[in-house]
PDB file of all heavy atoms in Angstrom:
ATOM      1  N   GLY A 748      32.428 107.228  15.611  1.00  0.00           N
ATOM      2  CA  GLY A 748      32.338 106.730  16.971  1.00  0.00           C
ATOM      3  C   GLY A 748      32.863 105.316  17.053  1.00  0.00           C
ATOM      4  O   GLY A 748      33.389 104.765  16.075  1.00  0.00           O
ATOM      5  N   LYS A 749      32.748 104.729  18.221  1.00  0.00           N
ATOM      6  CA  LYS A 749      33.185 103.367  18.466  1.00  0.00           C
ATOM      7  C   LYS A 749      32.032 102.540  19.021  1.00  0.00           C
ATOM      8  O   LYS A 749      31.162 103.052  19.737  1.00  0.00           O
ATOM      9  CB  LYS A 749      34.331 103.342  19.492  1.00  0.00           C
ATOM     10  CG  LYS A 749      35.603 104.045  19.049  1.00  0.00           C
ATOM     11  CD  LYS A 749      36.405 103.200  18.079  1.00  0.00           C
ATOM     12  CE  LYS A 749      37.768 103.835  17.808  1.00  0.00           C
ATOM     13  NZ  LYS A 749      38.577 103.027  16.866  1.00  0.00           N
ATOM     14  N   THR A 750      32.027 101.255  18.696  1.00  0.00           N
ATOM     15  CA  THR A 750      31.053 100.345  19.279  1.00  0.00           C
ATOM     16  C   THR A 750      31.495  99.958  20.683  1.00  0.00           C
ATOM     17  O   THR A 750      32.594 100.307  21.131  1.00  0.00           O
ATOM     18  CB  THR A 750      30.915  99.068  18.435  1.00  0.00           C
ATOM     19  OG1 THR A 750      32.125  98.281  18.584  1.00  0.00           O
ATOM     20  CG2 THR A 750      30.709  99.394  16.969  1.00  0.00           C
ATOM     21  N   GLY A 751      30.661  99.200  21.357  1.00  0.00           N
ATOM     22  CA  GLY A 751      31.024  98.738  22.690  1.00  0.00           C
ATOM     23  C   GLY A 751      32.281  97.896  22.696  1.00  0.00           C
ATOM     24  O   GLY A 751      33.019  97.876  23.689  1.00  0.00           O
ATOM     25  N   GLU A 752      32.541  97.176  21.616  1.00  0.00           N
ATOM     26  CA  GLU A 752      33.735  96.339  21.514  1.00  0.00           C
ATOM     27  C   GLU A 752      34.881  97.034  20.782  1.00  0.00           C
ATOM     28  O   GLU A 752      35.885  96.403  20.455  1.00  0.00           O
ATOM     29  CB  GLU A 752      33.382  95.024  20.823  1.00  0.00           C
ATOM     30  CG  GLU A 752      32.451  94.160  21.659  1.00  0.00           C
ATOM     31  CD  GLU A 752      32.132  92.810  21.039  1.00  0.00           C
ATOM     32  OE1 GLU A 752      32.138  92.695  19.791  1.00  0.00           O
ATOM     33  OE2 GLU A 752      31.850  91.872  21.809  1.00  0.00           O
ATOM     34  N   GLY A 753      34.737  98.330  20.529  1.00  0.00           N
ATOM     35  CA  GLY A 753      35.843  99.109  20.019  1.00  0.00           C
ATOM     36  C   GLY A 753      35.976  99.196  18.515  1.00  0.00           C
ATOM     37  O   GLY A 753      36.975  99.726  18.010  1.00  0.00           O
ATOM     38  N   ARG A 754      34.992  98.728  17.770  1.00  0.00           N
ATOM     39  CA  ARG A 754      35.053  98.838  16.314  1.00  0.00           C
ATOM     40  C   ARG A 754      34.643 100.241  15.873  1.00  0.00           C
ATOM     41  O   ARG A 754      33.805 100.889  16.512  1.00  0.00           O
ATOM     42  CB  ARG A 754      34.142  97.797  15.657  1.00  0.00           C
ATOM     43  CG  ARG A 754      34.542  96.351  15.919  1.00  0.00           C
ATOM     44  CD  ARG A 754      33.572  95.385  15.228  1.00  0.00           C
ATOM     45  NE  ARG A 754      33.991  94.004  15.344  1.00  0.00           N
ATOM     46  CZ  ARG A 754      33.602  93.170  16.316  1.00  0.00           C
ATOM     47  NH1 ARG A 754      32.772  93.614  17.264  1.00  0.00           N
ATOM     48  NH2 ARG A 754      34.024  91.928  16.348  1.00  0.00           N
ATOM     49  N   ASP A 755      35.191 100.690  14.764  1.00  0.00           N
ATOM     50  CA  ASP A 755      34.819 101.988  14.215  1.00  0.00           C
ATOM     51  C   ASP A 755      33.411 101.944  13.633  1.00  0.00           C
ATOM     52  O   ASP A 755      33.074 101.061  12.844  1.00  0.00           O
ATOM     53  CB  ASP A 755      35.783 102.388  13.092  1.00  0.00           C
ATOM     54  CG  ASP A 755      37.117 102.887  13.608  1.00  0.00           C
ATOM     55  OD1 ASP A 755      37.117 103.624  14.625  1.00  0.00           O
ATOM     56  OD2 ASP A 755      38.158 102.540  13.019  1.00  0.00           O
ATOM     57  N   LEU A 756      32.598 102.916  14.037  1.00  0.00           N
ATOM     58  CA  LEU A 756      31.299 103.116  13.401  1.00  0.00           C
ATOM     59  C   LEU A 756      31.537 103.862  12.095  1.00  0.00           C
ATOM     60  O   LEU A 756      32.007 105.000  12.093  1.00  0.00           O
ATOM     61  CB  LEU A 756      30.369 103.916  14.321  1.00  0.00           C
ATOM     62  CG  LEU A 756      29.872 103.182  15.568  1.00  0.00           C
ATOM     63  CD1 LEU A 756      29.307 104.161  16.585  1.00  0.00           C
ATOM     64  CD2 LEU A 756      28.827 102.144  15.192  1.00  0.00           C
ATOM     65  N   LEU A 820      24.959  99.950  11.830  1.00  0.00           N
ATOM     66  CA  LEU A 820      25.017 100.639  13.120  1.00  0.00           C
ATOM     67  C   LEU A 820      25.362  99.656  14.243  1.00  0.00           C
ATOM     68  O   LEU A 820      26.215  99.926  15.075  1.00  0.00           O
ATOM     69  CB  LEU A 820      23.706 101.357  13.419  1.00  0.00           C
ATOM     70  CG  LEU A 820      23.706 102.199  14.688  1.00  0.00           C
ATOM     71  CD1 LEU A 820      24.806 103.263  14.655  1.00  0.00           C
ATOM     72  CD2 LEU A 820      22.358 102.857  14.926  1.00  0.00           C
ATOM     73  N   ILE A 822      27.288  97.036  14.735  1.00  0.00           N
ATOM     74  CA  ILE A 822      28.385  96.243  14.170  1.00  0.00           C
ATOM     75  C   ILE A 822      28.710  95.037  15.046  1.00  0.00           C
ATOM     76  O   ILE A 822      28.936  93.921  14.538  1.00  0.00           O
ATOM     77  CB  ILE A 822      29.631  97.133  13.984  1.00  0.00           C
ATOM     78  CG1 ILE A 822      29.335  98.253  12.982  1.00  0.00           C
ATOM     79  CG2 ILE A 822      30.817  96.305  13.505  1.00  0.00           C
ATOM     80  CD1 ILE A 822      30.408  99.318  12.924  1.00  0.00           C
ATOM     81  N   ASP A 823      28.738  95.211  16.359  1.00  0.00           N
ATOM     82  CA  ASP A 823      29.086  94.091  17.233  1.00  0.00           C
ATOM     83  C   ASP A 823      28.075  92.954  17.094  1.00  0.00           C
ATOM     84  O   ASP A 823      28.455  91.772  17.085  1.00  0.00           O
ATOM     85  CB  ASP A 823      29.164  94.555  18.685  1.00  0.00           C
ATOM     86  CG  ASP A 823      30.302  95.545  18.919  1.00  0.00           C
ATOM     87  OD1 ASP A 823      31.207  95.621  18.063  1.00  0.00           O
ATOM     88  OD2 ASP A 823      30.273  96.247  19.952  1.00  0.00           O
ATOM     89  N   PRO A 863      26.964 103.171  23.293  1.00  0.00           N
ATOM     90  CA  PRO A 863      27.841 104.076  22.531  1.00  0.00           C
ATOM     91  C   PRO A 863      27.383 104.258  21.092  1.00  0.00           C
ATOM     92  O   PRO A 863      27.599 105.328  20.503  1.00  0.00           O
ATOM     93  CB  PRO A 863      29.204 103.397  22.613  1.00  0.00           C
ATOM     94  CG  PRO A 863      28.921 101.963  22.906  1.00  0.00           C
ATOM     95  CD  PRO A 863      27.672 101.961  23.740  1.00  0.00           C
ATOM     96  N   GLU A 864      26.733 103.243  20.538  1.00  0.00           N
ATOM     97  CA  GLU A 864      26.287 103.343  19.155  1.00  0.00           C
ATOM     98  C   GLU A 864      25.202 104.407  18.991  1.00  0.00           C
ATOM     99  O   GLU A 864      25.271 105.248  18.081  1.00  0.00           O
ATOM    100  CB  GLU A 864      25.758 101.977  18.669  1.00  0.00           C
ATOM    101  CG  GLU A 864      26.795 100.872  18.623  1.00  0.00           C
ATOM    102  CD  GLU A 864      26.921 100.080  19.912  1.00  0.00           C
ATOM    103  OE1 GLU A 864      26.364 100.520  20.950  1.00  0.00           O
ATOM    104  OE2 GLU A 864      27.564  99.024  19.905  1.00  0.00           O
TER     105      GLU A 864
END
Side-chain angles (χ1 to χ4, degrees):
K749 297 282 188 180
T750 71
E752 293 183 331
R754 296 180 174 92
D755 283 320
L756 290 164
L820 185 58
I822 297 169
D823 295 343
E864 296 90 348

